[in-house]
Structure formats: C-alpha cells, structure tokens
C-alpha cells in the first residue's frame, strides 16, 4: 500500500495551531521574562543582601512612619540630656566633664532610678580624681556604658572594639552603641550582638535592658525572647528600629536640674538613658521625623522596643511574604496590560499598586515591615516593558483596523461604514425602517459599451459611479449597491423627524441628471449622457445578506421593487425622473414638483394602477 507523503497531515495541524501559538507567544514570553527578572531580585534579597532598590525601600519606610504617626515609648524609659543649658549652669568646680557626669549620675541614683545606660564613650583616660569620682558614681546604680566596634574598610565586619577605661569597666558593663544605617545615614537597625574576632559582643541597649529587667536573653534565628516577650530580629541579630516620633518622643529631662539636686518623681524606678545633646557634642542622625536627632534618643528607642514598646517585625518569614508579594504584583501588573487594552489595563495595574502600597502601610501600623521596594522593583520594569509591547501591538492593530475601515469604506457608503465601525453588531438582526429609495441607470448603456470597448466601458462606469456617489452623498444619502450601469441609494438612514428626505432625494436626482448632461463620450462628443431615475418612499427591510464570513448590507421589500420598476415607467414615458405619489407627499419644494406632470400607470408584476409624477428632460433643464 502506498504510504501517505509525510507532512501532508502535519501541515493543516501546524496551520491550525500556529495562530494560537502566535496569540499566546507575547503573553507567555512576557510572563516568563518577568518571572526571571523577579527571581534575580528575590534570591539575593532572601539572603539579606542589599539591593539597588534599598534606597527606595528606606524612603517608603519613612513615609510609612510619618503616615502611621508617632507612637508611645515604653513607660519606664526616660532620657536625661546634658544639653547647652546644663553646660551653662555647671558650677566652676564641675567644669571637668567627668566630674559633671559623676554629679549627674550620683543624683540620678539618689532619685531612685533603677538602671542607667550611659551613651558616652569613656575611652580616653582623664585626671585620676575625676575618673575615680565617675567610677564611684557609676557604682551607685546598675550601669551600662558605651563601647564602640571598629569596622574594616568594607564596613561589614568588626575587627576591634574601643572599650571604656578599665576603671569604669569594673563598676559597669560595657555594650556596643553601633547602629546599622542606610546610605543616607539614618539608623535602620540596632544590632543586639556584634561579632568581633569570633566572639559575640552585646549592645548597650541589650545590656541596659537586662540590667533593668533582670531577665534572661534567649536568642533564636528570628527573635529574641526576654521573659514573656518576643522581639523580632532580622539577619545578624539586628533589631529593626521603629521610630516613635520627633525628638522628645521618649520623655526627656535636662540634666541641669540634676546638677544640684535629685528628681525622684521623674526618675523613680526608671531606666535612664544619659548622654550629650549639647551643640556639637554627641552623635546626631536623621530619622523619619527629624533631620537632626540625638544618638542617645535612637539608643533610647531601641531600649524602649526591648522593654515592651512597639516593635517592628522584619525577618526571614516576612522576606518570604515579600517574595510572594513581588511575584503576585508582577503577575497582576503584567497580566493586566496584556489581557486588557492599555486604556484599561494600565489603570487596573496602577490600582493593584495602590492597593499594595495601602496594604503594606496598614501592615506597618500593626508592626509588620513588608518591603515596598522589592515588589515595585520586581513589577514595574516588566509591566512597563509589557506596556510598551502592548502599545506597539495595539498600534499595529489600530493601523490594521484603519486599513480595514478604509477598505470597508470602499465597499460601503461613508455613512454606512461609519455606522458599522461604531457598532459592529449593526443589522445583525434585520430591521424595518421608512426610507426614500432611489434607483438610477444609464440610458443607452448597451450601445455605449459596444462603441467604447472594454476599457472605455470601464471608464464610463467609473465616471458614472463617481458622479452618483458625489451627488447622493452631498444630499445626505447613501449608495448601497452598484449594479453595472445602475445604482441603488437610500435617504433617511439616520432618521430625523424634522427633515424631509424626499426633497433631498429629488434634488440629488436633479443634480445627477445635470452632472451627466455635462459629460460626453469621445466617440460621440455632441451627445450628452443621460439616465433614468425612480424614486419611492416607504417601509423597507434593512439587513445583512450572505454567509458569516462574507456579508453585505442591503434593503429589500416591496417598496424597493416598486422604486426599481419606476425606471421602466421612465423609459415608457420617455422621461428622466419618475416618482411615486407616496414619495410626492413628502415633498415641500413646490417649485420642482410643479415642473412634473401626474399620470396613472401600470407597474409590471403589480395589480392596479399607480399614480406617479413624471419629469421629462426639458422639465429638468428648466429647473
């Protein structure tokens, strides 16, 4: 048995499926590239590495701080600030800063404070008596004092520690005051443990909290447990900082009042953070609420979080949620611009972004730091790229549609083409409508075509059809069909009850007769062209004829047949224009009507006689 040639069956299958492949190639390709882009961002983000979008994340974080507004500090944390007023009020015998510190710390202890966190780096030796006085004061109250880790040139690994003088280390625990800042210098994390030369060194906020609460610290991978409290941590034992508000959000008192006395009501049973806020003294940082916040207030904020204040959760689990949000937002945005037209898809995608931003702001109010920048960095570039592709695709489709419309207008009257363009379902169901119907055909066409030959006949018809379209459309009519040397036109396709379409149709008929009379054939230059026109009005059926793949709009009905038969009457009467009496009732132009005569005629295929108005050629010449 002969084998079927290979490929004969495969060709139709490929032709059948290639359209679907082309249809889905753009969406599938765009989604694949978008997911690949998202993965390149998510993988390093999940391991805690910095990304190019971090500055945006920090700006969005600041905005969330401001939108959510100030929060209350833990009730048992206060700040005592050595400010400009304190230095100005210091007596002569306390001009040494360590003597001043000793006096203030001693009075803090006598004010019944429970613990002290001294945010002052006592690394350099001072006069022996001053150091002894300060050490003695620190011994009066459970104290934690500042130390600082030195980091290498890359800024990621600590290689040494600046410790306080040994005399102070005997009476107080030393904790690191290093903060993790972003590129703009705003602290974002308070490291609770910092690895230095293979050992984990605790921070000042952690030591002060343990001294104050007498609780044990248990570190896990994502949290620190202090008694019954769980404090969320990010990678590297970093506690995300949740700023409370502008400077002074942690209750702050001037140390001036503690130079000569105590303040038991303000400091009793409190954890006191002591540091310098005087001009040009102590560290200062930009925060979401202030451009110039004392470093000791940032330390106090971290201590407040450890002692029952509101925390901010950002850890491995929230990063997983961030990754899921990045994938979801990317798919939503890309799908929106690919599935819907840009005019709808872009607003929908923008709506998704706004909902996302509102959601992470609400989450932040509940203490959850979800990334805003990662999903935006993941979603926006693919969405913009998909929008560009979609724009080009829609442009191509628009140009194709324009070409299709232009082609359609070549086969339909402009009014009808515009109607179908605005309403593709127009005439999907036939409708009945009152119209004025005009039929026209050339007089003596058979003889003309014999004399002209094929090319000449084609030119004659082109000229005739052009004149017909110009005269009909100039009066608001629509040419529906060209039938060799004839044409069918209608008036009143867009009904207006205040308008008489009979006058327009009759004027159009006269215009066409006059226009043809000015034309002649090369073979018979002295012989003007003429035509016969039939006019009738009444209900007709507008519908689409043909198969689903190829249709044309036409008018049918008995009134259409009658208008066509009137051209036979014109031939019999040796007239140019013949109109039915039904048509004549709609005329308001008495002048043109007066140039016709009325007669009763028989119509082929109809019973009885029909009254008509007849315009002969000489009557039209006088009009």
């Amino acid at each position: 048995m002969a084998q079927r040639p290979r490929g004969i069956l495969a060709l139709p299958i490929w032709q059948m499926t290639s359209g679907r492949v082309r249809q889905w190639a753009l969406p599938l390709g765009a989604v694949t590239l978008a997911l690949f882009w998202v993965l390149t961002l998510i993988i390093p983000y999940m391991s805690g590495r910095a990304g190019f979008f971090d500055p945006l994340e920090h700006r969005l974080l600041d905005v969330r701080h401001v939108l959510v507004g100030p929060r209350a500090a833990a009730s048992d944390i206060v700040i005592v600030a050595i400010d400009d007023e304190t230095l100005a009020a210091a007596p002569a015998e306390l001009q040494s800063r360590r003597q001043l510190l000793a006096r203030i710390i001693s009075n803090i202890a006598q004010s019944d404070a429970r613990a002290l966190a001294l945010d002052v780096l006592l690394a350099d030796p001072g006069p022996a008596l001053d150091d002894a006085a300060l050490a003695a004061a620190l011994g009066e109250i459970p104290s934690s004092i500042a130390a600082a880790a030195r980091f290498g040139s890359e800024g990621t690994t600590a290689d040494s520690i600046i410790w306080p003088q040994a005399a102070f280390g005997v009476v107080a625990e030393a904790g690191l005051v290093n903060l993790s800042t972003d590129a703009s210098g705003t602290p974002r994390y308070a490291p609770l443990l910092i690895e230095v030369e293979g050992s984990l060194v605790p921070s000042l906020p952690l030591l002060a909290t343990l001294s104050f609460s007498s609780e044990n610290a248990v570190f896990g991978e994502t949290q620190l447990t202090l008694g019954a409290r769980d404090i969320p941590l990010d990678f590297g034992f970093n506690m995300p900082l949740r700023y409370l508000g502008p400077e002074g959000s942690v209750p702050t008192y001037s140390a001036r009042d503690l130079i000569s006395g105590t303040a038991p009501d303000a400091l009793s049973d409190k954890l006191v953070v002591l540091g310098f806020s005087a001009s040009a003294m102590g560290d200062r940082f930009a925060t979401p609420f202030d451009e110039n916040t004392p470093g000791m207030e940032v330390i106090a904020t971290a201590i407040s979080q450890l002692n029952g204040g509101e925390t901010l959760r950002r850890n491995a689990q929230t990063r997983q949620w961030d990754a899921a949000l990045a994938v979801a937002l990317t798919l939503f945005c890309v799908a929106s611009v690919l599935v819907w037209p840009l005019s709808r898809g872009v607003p929908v995608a923008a709506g998704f972004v706004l909902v996302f931003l509102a959601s992470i702001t609400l989450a932040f109010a509940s203490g959850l730091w979800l990334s805003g920048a990662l999903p935006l960095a993941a979603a926006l570039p693919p969405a913009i790229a998909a929008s560009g592709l979609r724009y080009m695709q829609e442009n191509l489709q628009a140009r194709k549609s324009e070409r299709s419309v232009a082609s359609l207008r070549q086969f339909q009257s402009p009014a009808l083409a515009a109607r179908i363009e605005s309403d593709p379902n127009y005439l999907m169901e036939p409708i009945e409508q009152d119209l004025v119907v005009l039929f026209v055909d050339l007089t003596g066409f058979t003889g003309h075509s014999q004399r002209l030959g094929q090319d000449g006949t084609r030119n004659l018809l082109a000229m005739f059809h052009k004149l017909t379209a110009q005269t009909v459309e100039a009066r608001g009519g629509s040419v529906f069909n060209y039938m060799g040397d004839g044409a069918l036109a209608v008036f009143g396709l867009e009904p207006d009850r205040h308008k008489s379409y009979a006058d327009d149709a009759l004027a159009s008929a006269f215009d066409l007769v006059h226009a043809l009379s000015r034309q002649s054939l090369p073979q018979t230059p002295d012989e003007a062209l003429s035509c016969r026109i039939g006019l009738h009005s009444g209900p007709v059926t507008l519908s689409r004829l043909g198969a689903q793949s190829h249709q044309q709009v036409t008018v049918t009905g008995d009134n259409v047949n009658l208008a066509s038969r009137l051209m036979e009457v014109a031939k019999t009467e040796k007239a140019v224009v013949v109109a039915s009496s039904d048509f004549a009732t709609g005329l308001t132009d008495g002048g043109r009507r007066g140039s016709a005569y009325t007669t009763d005629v028989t119509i082929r295929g109809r019973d009885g006689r029909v009254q008509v108005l007849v315009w002969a050629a000489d009557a039209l010449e006088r009009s």
Side-chain angles (χ1 to χ4, degrees), residues 220 343 359 391 412 563:
S343 58
S359 300
Y391 176 77
Q412 299 288 353

Side-chain angles (χ1 to χ4, degrees), residues 68-294:
V68 171
R71 321 295 284 182
S75 59
D76 43 14
I77 310 299
V78 297
I79 293 174
V80 173
I82 303 175
D83 49 21
D84 290 329
E85 291 79 7
T86 303
L87 296 180
E93 68 271 15
L94 297 180
Q95 290 303 305
S96 166
R97 289 184 183 175
R98 293 194 177 179
Q99 290 179 352
L100 180 62
L101 278 173
R103 174 70 64 85
I104 293 171
I105 292 171
S106 180
N107 285 336
I108 289 174
Q110 294 177 36
S111 299
D112 295 327
R114 196 194 308 179
L116 172 72
L118 179 59
D119 185 23
V120 178
L121 195 59
L122 303 173
D124 298 326
L129 291 177
D130 294 351
D131 285 355
L134 179 54
L138 289 169
E140 295 178 28
I141 183 173
S143 300
S144 304
I145 60 177
R150 284 198 184 100
F151 286 82
S153 58
E154 295 182 358
T156 57
T157 305
D159 51 22
S160 63
I161 296 176
I162 303 173
W163 294 105
Q165 288 293 303
F168 308 122
V170 173
V171 294
E173 293 185 289
L176 301 177
V177 292
N178 300 81
L179 297 168
S180 178
T181 62
D182 62 20
S184 67
T186 299
R188 298 298 176 183
Y189 292 92
L192 300 185
L193 296 174
I194 297 178
E195 185 176 357
V196 183
E197 297 180 341
S199 299
L200 292 175
V201 180
S203 68
L204 178 64
L206 177 61
L207 289 179
T209 297
L210 297 178
S211 175
F212 177 75
S213 64
S214 301
E215 295 173 333
N216 292 323
V218 179
F219 282 91
E221 291 184 3
T222 61
Q223 67 183 26
L224 164 66
T225 300
L226 289 173
R229 300 189 308 279
D230 291 330
I231 293 93
L233 302 178
D234 204 351
F235 292 108
F237 306 110
N238 283 291
M239 181 177 68
L241 285 170
R242 178 164 193 169
Y243 287 98
L244 301 171
E247 182 177 353
S249 295
V250 178
T252 302
Y253 303 94
S254 174
R256 179 186 57 184
D257 301 329
L258 289 163
I259 294 176
S260 57
T262 61
D265 292 339
L267 307 184
S268 178
D269 210 34
K270 306 290 187 184
L271 193 165
V272 177
V273 180
L274 176 63
F276 285 94
S277 65
S279 301
M281 298 184 67
D283 294 331
R284 286 188 170 268
F285 300 96
T287 70
F289 297 98
D290 273 325
E291 290 294 326
N292 195 17
T293 300

